[in-house]
Structures are given as structure tokens and as C-alpha cells.
């Protein structure tokens, strides 16, 4: 099976798991796990940015359809897909950037820094658009963390 087909199957399974199970979990009324962005985090490094943006928009749009969130997930995933190479350059070394895909095996501890950066940006964007006001910045930061 080709790597592309594996990634599509992984994305579909994570999306189904997110929609069916994880969207129904609310810890303390604030914590909602968003595992679906793992597929964007682990996309191949050399994949063209246009494909990554299209992939992220489809992924975020699908989440929006099933969560009735009217573009929140699409905006957050599109932002993350766009800035992904820059975040990767912040944490990965030149040798790591020559690998095929980001993973702990290829990046070491830098992978967790990269993934955490992506997750924080995604969540902050998602919750900031949801609040749509700087009046609630404290709640947005609390939800992000």
C-alpha cells in the first residue's frame, strides 16, 4: 500500500474517531480534545504547500459540517497548514528537514516542540474566532492551555 493511501486512511479513521467519540467529551466544561490535527502535523515535509492547504481545508470543513461550527475548524486548520513549514524550521535541524516526514523517530525531542507549537496555534485560533472578542482573551488562553 502506498504512503498516500495510508495517510488518507489514517486521516479518515482519525476524523471518524474525532466526530463519533472525541466531540462528545467535555472535561470540566472547557477541555475538548482535537486529535484530528495530528494528520496535519505528520504530513510529509516535502509535500507541496498547495496540497497541504487543500488537505487542511477539506479536513477542517468536514469537522465544521459535523460540529455545526460554521468555518471555525476550517480557519484554524488552514492557518496551521500555512504556517507549518515555519514552525517546523523553528524546532527542527537541517538534518531533520531532509527526512521524509516529521515523527519522534526522525526529529527526536524537537518533534514534541513542533507538535505542541502547532496545537497551541490551532487551539488559540479556533477559540479566538469562537469568542470573536478580545474581551474573553483570558477564557481563550485558558481553553488553549
Amino acid at each position: 500500500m502506498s504512503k498516500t493511501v495510508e495517510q488518507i486512511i489514517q486521516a479518515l479513521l482519525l476524523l471518524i474517531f474525532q466526530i463519533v467519540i472525541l466531540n462528545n467529551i467535555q472535561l470540566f466544561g472547557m477541555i475538548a480534545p482535537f486529535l484530528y490535527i495530528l494528520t496535519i502535523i505528520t504530513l510529509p515535509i516535502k509535500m507541496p504547500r498547495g496540497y497541504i492547504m487543500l488537505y487542511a481545508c477539506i479536513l477542517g470543513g468536514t469537522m465544521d459540517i459535523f460540529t455545526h461550527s460554521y468555518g471555525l475548524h476550517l480557519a484554524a486548520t488552514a492557518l496551521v497548514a500555512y504556517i507549518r513549514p515555519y514552525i517546523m524550521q523553528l524546532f527542527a535541524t537541517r538534518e531533520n528537514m531532509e527526512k521524509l516526514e516529521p515523527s519522534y523517530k526522525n526529529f527526536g525531542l524537537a518533534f514534541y516542540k513542533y507538535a505542541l507549537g502547532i496545537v497551541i496555534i490551532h487551539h488559540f485560533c479556533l477559540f479566538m474566532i469562537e469568542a470573536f472578542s478580545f474581551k474573553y482573551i483570558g477564557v481563550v488562553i485558558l481553553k488553549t492551555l
Side-chain angles (χ1 to χ4, degrees):
M1 192 171 0
S2 74
K3 191 68 175 167
T4 306
V5 174
E6 285 180 26
Q7 288 173 334
I8 291 171
I9 291 171
Q10 175 194 9
L12 288 173
L13 291 175
L14 272 175
L15 197 59
I16 290 168
F17 182 68
Q18 178 73 47
I19 291 167
V20 174
I21 296 171
L22 295 179
N23 282 351
N24 297 318
I25 296 174
Q26 284 286 325
L27 301 173
F28 310 114
M30 296 185 108
I31 301 172
F34 294 118
L35 192 62
Y36 74 96
I37 61 171
L38 181 64
T39 59
I40 295 172
I41 291 170
T42 59
L43 284 175
I45 294 171
K46 302 291 184 193
M47 186 177 218
R49 183 177 278 174
Y51 290 145
I52 293 173
M53 293 293 295
L54 178 64
Y55 180 83
C57 288
I58 291 170
L59 189 66
T62 305
M63 276 297 296
D64 286 330
I65 289 170
F66 286 101
T67 60
H68 308 289
S69 55
Y70 309 109
L72 296 177
H73 291 277
L74 191 141
T77 54
L79 174 69
V80 165
Y82 184 78
I83 64 170
R84 178 180 175 261
Y86 304 115
I87 301 296
M88 199 177 297
Q89 287 175 355
L90 280 176
F91 299 113
T93 62
R94 185 170 300 284
E95 296 84 32
N96 292 345
M97 295 295 285
E98 294 173 2
K99 306 276 177 31
L100 294 176
E101 60 187 34
S103 67
Y104 178 74
K105 179 181 161 187
N106 292 337
F107 279 32
L109 196 57
F111 174 74
Y112 291 117
K113 294 176 185 176
Y114 153 72
L116 185 64
I118 294 286
V119 168
I120 287 173
I121 291 168
H122 174 270
H123 284 43
F124 184 79
C125 177
L126 182 75
F127 297 133
M128 195 64 207
I129 294 171
E130 182 182 43
F132 205 65
S133 172
F134 284 109
K135 180 180 177 181
Y136 303 109
I137 192 75
V139 175
V140 169
I141 291 171
L142 186 62
K143 284 177 127 181
T144 300
L145 296 177

